[in-house]
Amino acid sequence: MASLHRVVSRTLFAAIVGVVALPSPAGAKVVREGPHLFTVSDPTAVQLLDYAKTGRLSLLAVGRLDEDLHIQDPQPDGTYRHRRLAVGGTSPHAIVGADLNGDGNMDVLIANNETGDFAVYMGKGNGEFEKPSYVHAYGGYDPHGPISLVACDMDGDNIPDVALALNMDSEIAFFKGRGDSTFEEPHAIPTGQSPHAVIAGDFFGNGRLDLAVACLRTSSVFLHENLGNGVYGPPVVVQTGGEPRMITAADFNRDGRLDLAVTNVNDQTVAVVENLGGGKFKSVVVGYEPGPSTASRRGTSTATATPTSWRRTSADINCFP
């Protein structure tokens, strides 16, 4: 449990051998592997994907002020190749990968916060992408504030769909996938005020992918049960502490149910929510530096976090054969 404090770092990093993130004097973040450096200006998201089908994970990153997709590809000789692709939108905040058209190639989606869309890069399977297309929330160019997204089959038709957290609208926009990299017009899933992160998982034990949403202004997580066919029920609300910004899921206590870990910006804490089954959840002790947060006064032990936590990921990306 104590190792959960790793989820709170704002610095762009992967907790793996050979890749380290360092703050630069100007406030950008520099990732170094041996003598190699690349800079991401105000990083907001990092993802690890084998989009080139090499058996090795590439590191993809975006920065709020940078507006480029940075790709760090591992090479067979143990070095890395760095390249940049223009995102096209403004203030990119999240990256996910999914095979949108069933061709066996990994595609990449990026949520652009200020332009109110998400970019779709269709993978060619050889490490290259088609020119990106853009999907706007509700068909317009009103920003709406897309800040997080998840892409997976949420309605049971074996085609990836997209759930997009709209920070300015206090809702999740659900885009049903057509299987050809395009989507039907979205419908809204009302959630808490200022949703900042959304993830999918079977939190209710129904065999379907439910949604968990960290809502900044309500200081809570909203869990929406998947009722089938892209329909989500009213939320179960769990208080987590001041201004939750990041959320991740895993079976922390090995009881066969997905639990949640959430970083709270205002409290500078991490709260862990135990899944009790049957749609019931409660806060549990993390066992690391209990602090005087709202969550701890309710009996939850919390962990010290970086004041402005964003997102994290970790994996073995130097797994050269």
Side-chain angles (χ1 to χ4, degrees), residues 221-238:
V221 167
F222 282 56
L223 293 112
H224 299 265
E225 183 178 6
N226 188 336
L227 304 179
N229 298 316
V231 177
Y232 285 83
V236 173
V237 182
V238 182

Side-chain angles (χ1 to χ4, degrees), residues 150-180:
V150 59
C152 52
D153 177 19
M154 289 174 269
D155 59 5
D157 62 359
N158 296 316
I159 297 173
D161 311 297
V162 169
L164 183 68
L166 301 177
N167 185 253
M168 296 174 63
D169 290 352
S170 298
E171 63 189 35
I172 304 297
F174 181 87
F175 295 80
K176 177 179 173 59
R178 294 191 176 112
D180 60 357

Side-chain angles (χ1 to χ4, degrees), residues 62 67 86-96 108-121 132-150 162-169 173 175 183 186:
V62 292
E67 299 180 6
V87 170
T90 303
S91 190
H93 267 70
I95 309 171
V96 297
V108 173
L109 299 83
I110 300 174
N112 294 312
N113 184 254
E114 293 184 8
T115 44
D117 58 41
F118 61 91
V120 178
Y121 290 83
S133 60
Y134 300 89
V135 181
H136 289 266
Y138 308 118
Y141 288 78
D142 186 15
H144 297 288
I147 199 164
S148 177
L149 77 168
V150 59
V162 169
L164 183 68
L166 301 177
N167 185 253
M168 296 174 63
D169 290 352
F175 295 80
F183 301 88

